[in-house]
Amino acid sequence: MVLRLAARTRAAWLILPLLGAASASANAHAAEAGAEAGDAAPQILVVATPLGRDADPVADADTLRRTNAVSLADQLARTAPGVSINEVQGNPLQQDIAYRGFTASPLLGTPQGLSVWLDGVRINQPFGDVVSWDVIPLAAVRQVSVVSGAAPQFGRNALGGAVVLTTKDGRSDPGLRAEVSGGSFGRITASVQAGGVTAGGFDWFAAVDHFREDGWRALSASRATRAFAKLGWSDARGDVALTGLYGQSTLNGNGLQDVRLLAADRASIYTAPDTTRNDSGMVTLTAHRTLSEGVTLSGNGFWRGSLARTQNGDINDDSLGQDLYQPDDEERAALTAAGYHGFPLAGETQGNTAFPKWRCIAAIQLNSEPNEVCNGLLNASRTRQDEWGGSLELAVAGQVGAIEQRLTLGAAFVSSRADFGQTSRFGYLLPDRTVATVDGPGAFADGTQASDEAFDARVDLHARTTSLGLYALESAALTRTLRLDLAGRYDRTQVHNRDRITPGGGTGSLDSDPVYARFNPSAALSWQPGEGIDLALAWSQASRAPSAIELGCSDPASPCRLPNALAGDPPLRQVIAHTVELRAGLHGKRWSLGATLFRTDAADDILFVTDNPSGYGYFRNFGKTRRQGLELRGSVARGAFTLAASYTLLDATYRSGEVVGGSGNSSNDATEPGLDGSITIAPGDAIPLVPRHLGKVQLGWQATQALALSLDLTAASGVWARGNENNRHQPDGVHYLGAGRTDGYMVANLGGEWQVDRRLRLFATVRNLFDAAYATAAQLGATGFDQQGRFVAQPFAANAAGDHPLRSSTFVAPGAPRSFQAGVRLQF
């Protein structure tokens, strides 16, 4: 049954006592049933800490094995309550996840609202707070937990919660295991892991996994290799572990596609290449020690470094509406002087030339107007990041009068540096949608062109960030059935940006030295009025300091192109989020039912505001947003069957008015269709890319002692497209194409595992069992192609002012079609 929650009603908050819920304090029997059924509710993690071991899992190593997930993002999207996905990058290892409307993404420029932790180390990258799912080795993951609500003790970005990952060791996972599989789209996966315990209290663990595929879309081959090793020692009073991680990947994510071209060929791409190469390494030393009865000291120290290189072939939107075709006398002379032959002397027009190039080549030789007559751009970036730091926690548990309590005091320091460089090179599109570049004086977008619209897309930025965090948590059992949990964290973050091209500050310079400081508290009250009944009320606050990339692109007077350029740096304010959660629970020996009402109000959300139709814009503080809703979940284990299900109703809206660019939106304020204009966001308009309805089901069946089958199903409602923030776009079939949103979808995955003997298992997976043609994200924008895939710079005749209106379309992120995979597992 679908429940509807009115966006502005308050009455819904009164129904919670009538609903069953599984709280974080569910008893051991309910936890067992939930684990078997794959249902673990995100916890109100007031009591959990970055170095603690109190988080409840939503997935573990066995879950990852059963689902054959290709990444942690894939696993969370398929089974974790409240987690949705969008595939803007179009690569299975570069997915965005959103938990209750807050995002953890690998894409620079995406506002990051979730904090991701691995073995007590925050792994959001320093420069843009992005998360590289592709360099996390699945073979080494022991447990995945999700924090619900603003979680201040997890530091920056925990506006909507945190994802907490822990890794395996020789004690938890002894022995040797190997796996290899192959399937559709040329996908091959392999992993080896081994662990054990030696004399003297030592244990060791190592894992290597590899992923590669040709991809189901054109020019979309990818590969990733990850390695992990851990050496530990423990005795009755504590443990210490040294961990090393290395990941290397080459990913092609060809992103969104015009709905018309997608309908003609679902495997087609808009432009190419779109390649990201990641190299990442991390070394971590962790220790836990019991100093005396009830007193524990924990700490860690880490270093990590990464190198990311991207190459993106794009349409040069500045060329749309321009005359790119017949070279004039000066251009023909320049072509001849440069040694070119065979160019047209007359007669080249838009009608007979689907992919023009000669005016582009000539303009590059003359350094005149390649920014207007070259329809391609090849953007390249290089980001080098290094980060080091450590944390220390002291936990004291004991009796204070009649109250059983646990006090935790913690401190963390992190320092990072990043070097970001970017160039944009002019070129022309080829029929396969790649960009061909040309040598010459005007080859690069460096602002030197003799053109009124010349732009400088170069970036050479050095950024240093330091962050100090102090936090405390108190958990007190006020009575046998009533518990109070309090937490608070003070963070001080300083960003030091230095522009190596335009130093000195001011418009056009990236120099800045902002400092952000904030204390964020949280509290939760839990009550167990009877056996199998849990009630909880939590309130929390968290903040996010702007990242270096957002500070480097925040000047309205000097807009930038994302994700490949930065410009200007007026100060941005921190994002502040307040969350309230109400939970109630009923649980039995092998079943649980759950529901949560939640609301997060965020102030000063950071939004990328489009400045003109060429894709330029800047980051700015937005005012207020709200994400509120209802989450239902349940699980049961009966005989050979396990069942888990969840449903989330999420109302994500803007709560402040704003005017933003809307050139691809039919409701913009342009004087006539197809011209640049703005749209007005009104309070109550829905935030793009957030599904209002999200349902998940996981069914397991132990058919025989040797054969196990599983089915997981995800259903989501459609989402509004970026560029349609006012939710008012209406296609006219001429200037504006596509609905400005995606359709709802349902995707099912079927898996099976056959245990041949105690050492050998065979497995198979069918993804997207019913071959649904679906999309997870969308964006409005000008399109450079007609329905047959030919490039068209001027789709309409010039108006009275001499301007050529443009045609805009809805671009969507298509989901993968049905695929098969089978493999073998060995265990010794």
Side-chain angles (χ1 to χ4, degrees), residues 552-827:
C553 181
S554 59
D555 189 352
S558 189
C560 66
R561 185 188 300 265
L562 281 177
N564 300 298
L566 310 176
D569 61 339
L572 294 171
R573 298 182 296 278
Q574 292 191 86
V575 185
I576 310 297
H578 299 87
T579 297
V580 177
E581 289 189 74
L582 255 64
R583 295 188 177 213
L586 293 174
H587 47 81
K589 184 177 180 180
R590 298 179 66 79
W591 62 272
S592 67
L593 292 174
T596 302
L597 282 171
F598 59 89
R599 173 181 288 177
T600 300
D601 287 322
D604 290 326
D605 251 354
I606 296 175
L607 179 74
F608 184 72
V609 179
T610 304
D611 185 71
N612 61 36
S614 66
Y616 283 84
Y618 56 94
F619 287 105
R620 62 160 295 173
N621 291 108
F622 179 77
K624 296 181 180 180
T625 59
R626 173 174 292 167
R627 296 158 179 88
Q628 65 179 1
L630 167 68
E631 187 174 280
L632 304 173
R633 55 194 176 274
S635 66
V636 63
R638 185 177 180 86
F641 291 91
T642 58
L643 174 66
S646 67
Y647 167 73
T648 302
L649 173 62
L650 178 57
D651 182 47
T653 58
Y654 299 103
R655 307 310 300 173
S656 300
E658 181 64 86
V659 177
V660 300
S663 58
N665 191 315
S666 66
S667 67
N668 69 36
D669 61 2
T671 56
E672 60 183 273
L675 299 183
D676 184 24
S678 299
I679 60 174
T680 299
I681 301 173
D685 288 340
I687 298 173
L689 304 191
V690 180
R692 183 173 175 80
H693 302 284
L694 177 67
K696 301 181 183 184
V697 177
Q698 301 93 48
L699 175 65
W701 178 32
Q702 191 68 45
T704 69
Q705 187 174 1
L707 178 63
L709 300 175
S710 64
L711 175 72
D712 67 81
L713 182 148
T714 299
S717 59
V719 298
W720 295 105
R722 286 176 177 161
N724 194 15
E725 286 81 3
N726 64 347
N727 313 158
R728 290 170 176 79
H729 170 80
Q730 294 292 331
D732 61 9
V734 180
H735 294 89
Y736 303 99
L737 310 175
R741 61 172 297 142
T742 65
D743 294 326
Y745 66 89
M746 183 183 73
V747 174
N749 305 292
L750 178 66
E753 188 175 65
W754 178 34
Q755 187 164 346
V756 180
D757 57 36
R758 70 181 181 87
R759 292 184 176 179
L760 174 64
R761 296 187 184 194
L762 305 179
F763 66 93
T765 300
V766 184
R767 293 184 174 87
N768 194 358
L769 177 65
F770 303 113
D771 201 23
Y774 68 101
T776 59
Q779 181 168 323
L780 299 179
T783 181
F785 299 105
D786 64 14
Q787 195 157 354
Q788 287 71 45
R790 299 168 299 197
F791 180 82
V792 176
Q794 298 175 344
F796 303 104
N799 60 18
D803 298 320
H804 286 268
L806 301 182
R807 175 176 285 126
S808 294
S809 185
T810 302
F811 293 76
V812 300
R818 181 168 49 223
S819 65
F820 303 87
Q821 191 162 4
V824 58
R825 294 189 177 102
L826 296 172
Q827 181 173 344

Side-chain angles (χ1 to χ4, degrees), residues 93-105:
L93 299 183
Q94 292 177 295
Q95 298 165 327
D96 294 359
I97 67 163
Y99 177 53
R100 297 180 181 173
F102 289 94
T103 304
S105 168

Side-chain angles (χ1 to χ4, degrees), residues 1-230:
M1 175 174 138
V2 177
L3 302 179
R4 297 188 178 274
L5 180 68
R8 299 175 179 85
T9 184
R10 297 182 181 178
W13 294 97
L14 302 177
I15 70 172
L16 183 64
L18 304 178
L19 300 172
S23 75
S25 57
N27 64 21
H29 293 299
E32 177 185 353
E36 291 181 6
D39 171 48
Q43 187 183 13
I44 300 177
L45 274 179
V46 175
V47 296
T49 68
L51 297 182
R53 301 171 178 179
D54 302 312
D56 287 345
V58 296
D60 57 19
D62 289 337
T63 310
L64 292 167
R65 174 182 57 80
R66 287 195 302 269
T67 61
N68 294 309
V70 297
S71 70
L72 286 171
D74 179 36
Q75 177 64 48
L76 291 168
R78 286 167 59 181
T79 61
V83 175
S84 60
I85 193 170
N86 66 68
E87 300 175 278
V88 172
Q89 288 292 90
N91 186 287
L93 299 183
Q94 292 177 295
Q95 298 165 327
D96 294 359
I97 67 163
Y99 177 53
R100 297 180 181 173
F102 289 94
T103 304
S105 168
L107 185 63
L108 272 177
T110 302
Q112 308 287 338
L114 296 175
S115 184
V116 182
W117 291 73
L118 176 66
D119 286 341
V121 177
R122 178 179 173 273
I123 59 172
N124 298 73
Q125 293 181 5
F127 185 56
D129 290 326
V130 301
V131 181
S132 295
W133 304 110
D134 55 295
V135 297
I136 301 175
L138 289 183
V141 175
R142 178 184 177 188
Q143 179 175 298
V144 184
S145 302
V146 175
V147 180
S148 66
Q153 67 270 34
F154 285 92
R156 291 175 292 156
N157 296 96
L159 302 176
V163 178
V164 182
L165 313 174
T166 57
T167 57
K168 300 174 181 176
D169 57 41
R171 296 183 184 277
S172 67
D173 291 84
L176 173 65
R177 300 179 184 181
E179 175 185 313
V180 63
S181 73
S184 304
F185 319 132
R187 179 175 293 178
I188 297 174
T189 68
S191 68
V192 178
Q193 64 180 74
V197 180
T198 64
F202 287 94
D203 67 273
W204 61 276
F205 179 84
V208 178
D209 62 24
H210 179 73
F211 170 95
R212 70 184 308 147
E213 68 171 18
D214 297 329
W216 67 275
R217 297 176 70 186
L219 304 175
S220 58
S222 294
R223 62 176 177 81
T225 302
R226 293 77 63 100
F228 176 87
K230 180 185 288 186

